Amino acid sequence: MAFLRGDDGAPQPLSLLILDLDRFKLVNDLCGHAAGDEVIAIAAGRCGRIAAKVSGRVVHVGGDEFACVLPLNDGADLSEAVAADLLDVLASPIVLGRHMIHLTASIGIASDPSGTTTPERLLRGASIAMSRAKASGGAAVRRFTPEMLATLTDRAALEEALRSALLRGELVPHYQPIVALPSRKIARFEVLARWEHPHRGLLGPDLFLQVGEDLRLIDDMLFGLLRQACRNAREWPDEVGLSVNMSPQQVCDPGVAARLLQIVFACGLPPERLTVEITENAMVDNLADARATIDTLRGAGARIALDDFGTGYASLARLCHLPLDTIKIDRTLIQALDSDPGRKLVNTVLDLGRSLGMPVTAEGIETEEQARFLVERGCAFGQGFLFGRAAPASATLGMLEKVGSPDDEV
């Protein structure tokens, strides 16, 4: 990291910009590595000319990453202006043969006005900020702040703890009732993941589910929760079902469906009692694989629910051609029932369900007025705080004794 020191080798006040070209792998894949090397050389020349205007210099760190060092003369920090100029100059098209290449970049900035920060810390700060810029979608500039490092440290600790939590069995299922309308008898319970963290208490999935996906632990999480849920479901009346959620990535992986069914059979739970909830986004990612997964599950007797309907990207044409059993209206639509447009939209979804022969479940019901409206419109099932919050397995039998179970589940 000699490029972060002055000519005499001593530290100096400076700003460091780390620049990473966005989606550069696509250039190598489409144009070849020789063309990619030429693009890197052109980008280095353009960035070097911008930096030279303010007595800075650019170093090709490796791959598609560059470092730009800017001295802080008389305390003036021009790093953000230079970063904007770098984005502009890189945006000019590069013509290579029949290819026209448009570059964008993510830039992270770390400044050391006192000249006392070690090169390692300065480089780490700029790299963290660059990662933030790239995570925001690229073609962006971010300046390092101490909060970024704190967030990164917390994330690393959470990742390590989550791995251990799976081994220690700290991830447990909680259950929210889905009731038949208007009887309000429990038709099935939806499995919702909770983390019994030894120090932070009970954590909801919003705090760890994405971490699990990033670490590719999501399959282990699903299978572990399903095993526990199947054991719990054996204590419920036979007509009470179980709903589990599959992520879009899992829906597009036929191996996940097969493993899921193995667990259900091994636990002695009839697959007819299982409902697998998928989102519209799964059909967008890979319709063919999603269809194969749905066919596998339904072929074994499980039911498929389209979750969060109204918030994804699935076309009605796709919806009509997929073998679904039920539709779940997203809670955001139910929360809009106090407006005339909201009521019309919910009515449209209910009419769609009837025309397709698919019972509809309304999520997020919190008031008697919402429940009454849905019952009057013929909505089959309801879920929400009005009927019960997610609770541990020990509370499910009490819920069933209080409200009963349906005579005939739709």
Side-chain angles (χ1 to χ4, degrees), residues 209-266:
L209 197 59
Q210 185 59 54
V211 176
E213 289 192 8
D214 294 343
L215 295 177
R216 299 188 178 183
L217 298 175
I218 194 70
D219 291 351
D220 292 336
M221 294 165 65
L222 170 64
F223 300 148
L225 291 170
L226 181 62
R227 288 190 191 92
Q228 298 178 66
C230 287
R231 290 193 291 266
N232 296 145
R234 292 205 302 259
E235 301 179 8
W236 307 335
D238 291 343
E239 62 272 17
V240 176
L242 182 70
S243 286
V244 297
N245 294 276
M246 290 180 70
S247 71
Q249 295 83 356
Q250 290 170 330
V251 175
C252 295
D253 183 348
V256 173
R259 180 65 179 136
L260 185 149
L261 290 172
Q262 287 177 356
I263 293 172
V264 171
F265 285 122

Side-chain angles (χ1 to χ4, degrees), residues 27 34 64 112-113 119 191 209-210 224 230 232 275 338 341 354 383:
V27 176
D64 57 1
D112 177 24
V191 179
L209 197 59
Q210 185 59 54
C230 287
N232 296 145
T275 297
D338 57 351
R354 276 190 291 270
Q383 180 179 5

Side-chain angles (χ1 to χ4, degrees), residues 158 162 171 193-195 203-212 221:
L158 190 64
L162 184 57
L171 294 187
R194 296 293 185 267
W195 182 358
L203 303 182
D206 56 309
L207 296 177
F208 63 86
L209 197 59
Q210 185 59 54
V211 176
M221 294 165 65

